Amino acid sequence: MDNGPRQMGSPVGARTAINGRDVDYFCGTSYYSLHGHPDVIAAARDALAAYGVGTATAAQTPAHEEAVERTRHFLGVETVTYVASGYLAPLVLLEALAEDCDAVFADSASHFGVRDALRTIGKPVVSFRHLDPDDLAGRLSRECPAGGKPLVVTDGVFPSTGAIAPLSSYVDALRRYSDAILCVDDAHGLGVLGARGRGTVEHHDVGKDGVHVCGTLSKAFGGAGGIVPGDRALSAKIRLRSHVLLGASSPSVPAAAASAAGVRILAEHPEMRQQLWSNARRAKTGLRALGFDLDDTPVPIVSLRGRPSIDLLRVQKTLERHDILVRHSPPRGYSDSPDVETLRIAVFSTHTPEQIDRLVDAIRRAI
Ligand SMILES: Cc1ncc(COP(=O)(O)O)c(C=O)c1O
């Protein structure tokens, strides 16, 4: 396989056709392989036949309504705003809340979508050290007087390292402000973390007034499009203040139908989450035994850091020659990548124990 752009020649899954070869696929974000699930594909195909590709405006079809309704139930919220991409979801949320804050305090490794949203809303932005509640608390005390209205924004689960934001500590740091807001881009936490799959907020048990979430149906849920769950008051603010909602077409019809089917399947099969967590644990346990320092969370993203004795790019290429695909990231190669090279391994609920053990063994032989 060469180093050029990779072509996917089958639906994404634990085995995926890449550049004409079937590989054990440990990349991307389809943590339950729902994008390739036959019922998801059939739902998209049927909706396409019934309603066409898209509405060419902000109008909704029954497929959109079903996606919203099923997501609303899954997340246990009053409303869900559904937009064309997860990248836009933080913008929609922050457009709605900008008037309610004085300044934004952002994790320095927040996702690109959050950073672009912050540029758009034009509020003063203070960056705090990645995952560091003490640094946040210090900056709050210096930059936001008592009675101020700070808004803290962070990813829930960071996309390349899989680190979980310490939300409880952020809530503690915000306790002295009665009008504080915490916004979480939980693109990788929703559907994965928490007893009901409701994400990082459920994982940390911090759901309360002032905590807001946005995310995507494009990853764990097997569909496509961004979501902003919340209560009716938030939904009213979004309708009043969001340019995205006014100016962008609705998600495509097949995306909406696929999303509805994916959310339904995940809701009906909670054992899929257990399987995902157990697979993530199996991979991390195996890799820890090789000397990699890995956290003990159920997040299915495993990040191997380079060491002086290991050339991770060579490891990635060796694995690829054995038809195992993982992602190599150079230092600072993504929004949250550290300043050393990394291998990002995405574990799916559909990987077999044999696939995971083969991956670990191949890495053992390559390092
Ligand atoms: C934290 C985070 N937010 C948002 C997005 C964008 O979501 P989407 O791919 O649905 O546009 C990503 C994509 O990887 C992400 O990692």
Side-chain angles (χ1 to χ4, degrees):
M1 239 176 253
D2 64 24
N3 289 322
R6 295 198 167 87
Q7 188 198 61
M8 195 176 274
S10 69
V12 60
R15 291 284 287 174
T16 302
I18 300 287
N19 291 359
R21 290 169 71 154
D22 281 346
V23 301
D24 283 359
Y25 187 72
F26 289 91
C27 297
T29 61
S30 192
Y31 302 117
Y32 301 99
S33 305
L34 281 169
H35 292 91
H37 192 291
D39 294 357
V40 170
I41 294 171
R45 195 189 48 223
D46 292 350
L48 179 64
Y51 310 114
V53 171
T55 58
T57 178
Q60 311 271 301
T61 66
H64 295 88
E65 285 163 15
E66 188 186 344
V68 163
E69 208 40 32
R70 290 197 182 279
T71 308
R72 204 176 65 70
H73 275 282
F74 189 97
L75 299 177
V77 291
E78 286 178 357
T79 65
V80 166
T81 303
Y82 182 33
V83 294
S85 86
Y87 199 92
L88 286 176
L91 176 56
V92 172
L93 179 59
L94 291 166
E95 283 181 313
L97 298 174
E99 283 180 29
D100 303 344
C101 75
D102 305 322
V104 177
F105 293 75
D107 184 294
S108 59
S110 295
H111 191 256
F112 300 126
V114 171
R115 296 186 208 180
D116 286 347
L118 292 178
R119 272 198 281 274
T120 304
I121 64 166
K123 284 278 168 178
V125 177
V126 178
S127 175
F128 66 92
R129 208 177 301 133
H130 183 41
L131 298 169
D132 188 340
D134 294 332
D135 192 54
L136 170 63
R139 288 177 196 272
L140 282 167
S141 65
R142 287 193 295 279
E143 314 265 353
C144 190
K149 294 189 284 186
L151 185 154
V152 170
V153 64
T154 177
D155 297 15
V157 172
F158 284 84
S160 66
T161 66
I164 304 178
L167 298 185
S168 317
S169 304
Y170 296 167
V171 168
D172 287 344
L174 288 169
R175 231 176 261 293
R176 69 192 185 98
Y177 304 96
S178 53
D179 292 321
I181 298 171
L182 174 60
C183 289
V184 183
D185 177 349
D186 212 14
H188 298 265
L190 295 179
V192 170
L193 288 184
R196 290 161 296 184
R198 292 178 178 174
T200 309
V201 162
E202 184 179 46
H203 175 82
H204 281 303
D205 194 19
V206 291
K208 69 160 190 59
D209 290 348
V211 179
H212 296 281
V213 172
C214 61
T216 184
L217 298 178
S218 319
K219 303 188 189 303
F221 296 106
I227 49 169
V228 185
D231 59 15
R232 289 191 191 89
L234 179 71
S235 154
K237 283 181 190 175
I238 292 173
R239 273 185 272 116
L240 196 65
R241 299 173 181 169
S242 170
H243 288 175
V244 174
L245 220 63
L246 277 176
S249 299
S250 299
S252 76
V253 168
S259 300
V263 175
R264 174 183 58 73
I265 292 167
L266 202 51
E268 286 172 357
H269 296 282
E271 74 281 3
M272 289 166 65
R273 288 203 305 283
Q274 299 299 329
Q275 188 61 53
L276 181 64
W277 294 0
S278 138
N279 282 2
R281 213 163 287 126
R282 186 180 190 99
K284 288 182 189 182
T285 303
L287 291 165
R288 227 180 267 121
L290 303 184
F292 291 101
D293 182 19
L294 297 172
D295 60 33
D296 199 16
T297 73
V299 171
I301 301 166
V302 185
S303 175
L304 304 185
R305 284 177 174 245
R307 304 182 215 148
S309 58
I310 300 177
D311 175 352
L312 287 181
L313 186 57
R314 193 185 51 74
V315 174
Q316 189 271 336
K317 286 184 187 311
T318 306
L319 295 185
E320 193 163 348
R321 275 198 298 278
H322 290 92
D323 292 333
I324 298 174
L325 204 63
V326 301
R327 184 188 161 90
H328 175 268
S329 178
R332 303 254 155 242
Y334 199 70
S335 51
D336 65 313
S337 296
D339 51 13
V340 294
E341 60 167 355
T342 46
L343 285 188
R344 179 187 188 273
I345 297 165
V347 181
F348 298 166
S349 63
T350 50
H351 285 129
T352 62
E354 292 73 26
Q355 277 182 298
I356 295 171
D357 295 350
R358 202 157 54 229
L359 166 77
V360 172
D361 196 48
I363 293 174
R364 184 183 60 71
R365 283 185 279 112
I367 58 179

